[in-house]
């Protein structure tokens, strides 16, 4: 049994051991609220994104992540849904100090999980660039890692991971990753919860390269310091159910991420909340299930728990629509002086759908770049948490995933999306759902 399986089991035990008063009670009729006239109004969607970002950092189990779970539960309970929350443990990804010093220069950064902490006083060692042709260069040293990218391309974050492992095997005592990406900021990398690495890894943004190279030119040793509370903490999935008969309609969205996740998670969060209100104003012969998953940055850990133990069977499901990453983010143009904001949709997004939904999606999303031409569902190509839906063979499903210029960075705020971008997407999703359910 690996660490992922142990953590998943621990989460299930914690839920089973909850006393009745700690579990979320089913709502009474008096607890329900009257839906508003138009849940898809852009201003309402934007207000929800701002609320979500306002909770702060959304790493699983953080104060911001727990606040998001409770915010979902409160709203869905008020609308009349029955609420279930499932807790599970993941590593605490927060740090007290994450820094590199070279002489008088200090570089604050992001400690890339899986976390390994420096000893008291830090790691003091020479620095050397990683060279794939000469691994011994980093032995006994702090390895410097940089993976270049072409202008306009997304960050090659995943390409850093195998190099970290090679540095460890080559005898490096620590790693400083100079992260390439459109924003010049650190770009956090999603991490399997079971992954371990013996040496600490600090990310610094590519915007620091001139200062870093000037410091390296002094030939002084570096001091790598990563300190944190360590240990584990609990995140929780929030499930809302409504209805007593008929097939299930499932709407899923991840809620957690490395930073504030405005463009990455915000549109899915806001549109999920809007759809949950809209659904109750309809009279389709179905049961509704909304799920907001934590644990996403730990390679879909919370979604994996839901799929293994709580998701309705494919044969009992009329439709699954997954609201993944960055599909409602705005575009940015790269320039020599930094990112230039655009009022147009981010194009680094994908919509995938089963064959029966493709005509409905093409009609509903007409005129919306990229997503107006959904890909046919293909397990080998599906990404994000929609991958789990595709793997399990739900016969009617659709899902988004994507990236954006501020994806996985500390500057992905509420300004990474707009009301004008989100509103037509929300209406199109509702149109697809309504068209499909009208055929039942």
């Amino acid at each position: 049994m690996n660490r992922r399986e142990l953590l998943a089991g621990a989460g299930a035990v914690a839920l089973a051991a909850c006393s009745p008063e700690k579990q979320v009670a089913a709502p009474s009729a008096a607890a329900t609220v009257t839906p508003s006239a138009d849940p898809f109004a852009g201003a309402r969607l934007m207000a929800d994104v701002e609320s979500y970002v306002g909770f702060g950092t959304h790493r699983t189990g953080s104060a911001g992540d727990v606040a998001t779970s409770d915010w979902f539960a409160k709203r869905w309970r008020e609308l009349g849904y029955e609420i279930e929350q499932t807790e599970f443990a993941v590593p605490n990804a927060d740090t007290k100090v994450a820094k590199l010093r070279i002489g008088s220069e200090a570089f604050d950064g992001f400690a890339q999980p899986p976390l390994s902490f420096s000893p008291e006083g830090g790691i003091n060692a020479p620095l050397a660039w990683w060279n794939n042709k000469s691994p011994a260069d980093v032995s006994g040293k702090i390895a410097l890692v940089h993976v270049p990218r072409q202008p306009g391309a997304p960050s090659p974050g995943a390409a850093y991971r195998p190099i970290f492992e090679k540095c460890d095997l080559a005898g490096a005592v620590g790693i400083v990753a100079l992260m390439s990406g459109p924003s010049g900021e650190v770009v956090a990398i999603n991490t399997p919860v079971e992954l371990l690495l013996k040496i600490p890894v600090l990310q610094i943004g590519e915007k620091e390269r001139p200062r870093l190279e000037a410091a390296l030119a002094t030939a002084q040793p570096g001091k790598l310091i990563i300190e944190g509370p360590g240990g584990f903490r609990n995140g929780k999935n929030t499930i809302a159910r409504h209805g007593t008969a008929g097939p299930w309609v499932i709407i899923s969205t991840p809620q957690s991420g490395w930073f504030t996740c405005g463009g990455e998670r915000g549109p899915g969060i806001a549109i999920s909340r809007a759809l949950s209100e809209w659904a109750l104003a309809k009279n389709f012969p179905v049961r509704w299930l909304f799920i907001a998953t934590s644990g996403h940055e730990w390679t879909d850990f919370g979604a994996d728990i839901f799929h293994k133990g709580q998701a309705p069977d494919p044969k009992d499901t009329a439709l699954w629509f997954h609201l993944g990453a960055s599909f409602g983010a705005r575009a940015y143009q790269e320039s020599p002086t930094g990112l230039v904001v655009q009022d147009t949709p981010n194009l680094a997004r994908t919509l995938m759908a089963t064959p029966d939904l493709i005509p409905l999606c093409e009609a509903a999303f007409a005129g919306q770049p990229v997503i107006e031409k959904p890909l046919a569902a293909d397990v080998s190509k599906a990404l994000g948490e929609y991958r789990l839906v595709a793997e399990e063979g739900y016969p009617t499903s659709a899902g988004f995933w994507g990236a954006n210029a501020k994806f996985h960075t500390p500057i992905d705020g509420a300004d990474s999306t707009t009301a004008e971008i989100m509103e037509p997407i929300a209406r199109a999703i509702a149109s697809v759902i309504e068209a499909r359910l009208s055929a039942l």
Side-chain angles (χ1 to χ4, degrees):
M1 181 177 286
N2 62 29
R3 187 163 74 140
R4 186 183 190 94
E5 293 166 332
L6 286 168
L7 289 169
V13 169
L15 178 65
C18 285
S19 61
E21 64 268 20
K22 290 184 179 180
Q23 296 185 28
V24 179
S28 66
T32 60
V33 297
T34 303
S36 64
D38 186 4
F40 302 131
R44 277 202 58 189
L45 297 173
M46 196 66 216
D48 273 353
V49 173
E50 290 167 350
S51 293
Y52 169 71
V53 170
F55 292 133
T57 298
H58 291 287
R59 290 171 210 149
T60 302
S62 66
D65 180 51
V66 172
T68 301
S69 295
D70 294 342
W71 180 60
F72 265 118
K74 180 177 184 293
R75 180 56 177 165
W76 284 338
R77 190 182 305 114
E78 288 173 344
L79 286 171
Y81 287 86
E82 294 183 1
I83 306 302
E84 178 183 359
Q85 291 189 305
T86 306
E87 290 194 2
F88 51 87
V90 299
N92 184 345
D94 289 346
T95 54
K96 296 178 180 178
V97 182
K99 180 177 297 189
L100 171 69
R101 289 189 179 276
I102 305 174
S104 62
E105 292 287 351
F107 301 85
D108 290 313
F110 171 73
Q112 173 62 50
L115 294 186
S116 179
F117 300 110
S118 58
E120 186 175 352
I123 296 173
N124 295 277
L127 299 112
W129 286 104
W130 167 258
N131 183 340
N132 200 47
K133 296 180 180 179
S134 184
D137 290 354
V138 301
S139 180
K141 299 175 182 177
I142 299 170
L144 299 167
V145 176
H146 178 255
V147 178
R149 71 179 183 98
Q150 293 297 317
S155 172
Y160 280 79
R161 179 78 70 199
I163 301 176
F164 297 163
E165 294 171 355
K166 290 178 181 178
C167 289
D168 186 11
L169 292 172
V173 295
I175 298 169
V176 174
L178 186 67
M179 300 302 294
S180 55
S183 70
E185 301 284 339
V186 299
V187 186
I189 306 166
N190 284 0
T191 301
V193 74
E194 68 273 16
L195 188 66
L196 298 173
L197 192 65
K198 295 191 296 291
I199 59 175
V201 179
L202 178 74
Q203 286 196 18
I204 59 175
E206 201 171 30
K207 66 183 182 181
E208 296 282 19
R209 182 157 198 163
R211 196 162 66 94
L212 176 64
E213 290 182 336
L216 293 173
T218 68
Q220 297 179 85
K223 175 182 281 191
L224 177 59
I225 309 170
I226 296 180
E227 300 173 354
F232 294 83
R233 62 187 179 188
N234 286 356
K236 51 189 174 183
N237 293 338
T238 301
I239 304 169
R241 298 182 179 90
H242 192 280
T244 58
W248 289 99
V249 176
I250 305 169
I251 310 295
S252 56
T253 193
Q255 69 173 51
S256 67
W258 296 116
F259 300 107
T260 49
C261 309
E264 178 190 1
R265 302 264 75 97
I269 296 285
I271 293 173
S272 174
R273 286 168 61 89
L275 287 168
S276 68
E277 186 172 315
W278 167 84
L280 299 189
K282 298 296 177 179
N283 192 30
F284 297 118
V286 299
R287 290 174 287 176
W288 295 93
L289 188 155
F290 287 81
I291 167 78
T293 54
S294 188
H296 175 81
E297 71 278 21
W298 295 102
T299 312
D300 311 330
F301 188 56
D304 193 50
I305 289 172
F306 172 68
H307 277 262
K308 285 179 177 177
Q310 296 164 301
D313 192 279
K315 65 180 174 57
D316 298 325
T317 303
L319 170 66
W320 189 319
F321 212 121
H322 179 67
L323 310 178
S326 300
F327 66 92
R330 74 192 313 168
Y332 290 84
Q333 183 177 343
E334 291 185 50
S335 78
T337 56
L339 295 175
V340 179
V341 66
Q342 309 291 298
D343 289 328
T344 53
N346 162 57
L347 300 183
R349 58 183 181 173
T350 298
L351 173 60
M352 181 175 278
T354 50
D356 59 323
L357 289 187
I358 285 179
L360 303 181
C361 289
E362 288 177 339
F365 290 98
Q368 299 194 47
V370 183
I371 56 177
E372 66 183 345
K373 294 294 182 184
L375 300 181
D378 184 337
V379 174
S380 68
K381 296 178 181 178
L383 296 177
E385 293 184 12
Y386 181 67
R387 169 185 55 83
L388 301 174
V389 179
E391 285 176 352
E392 291 168 11
Y394 283 83
T396 297
S397 69
F400 294 104
W401 69 82
N404 68 77
K406 297 181 178 180
F407 189 66
H408 287 200
T409 74
I411 61 170
D412 186 14
D415 59 349
S416 292
T417 185
T418 69
E420 293 75 17
I421 290 171
M422 287 189 289
E423 182 171 328
I425 298 174
R427 296 191 188 283
I429 294 168
S431 177
V432 171
I433 295 171
E434 186 159 15
R436 176 65 184 89
L437 299 187
S438 294
L440 293 179

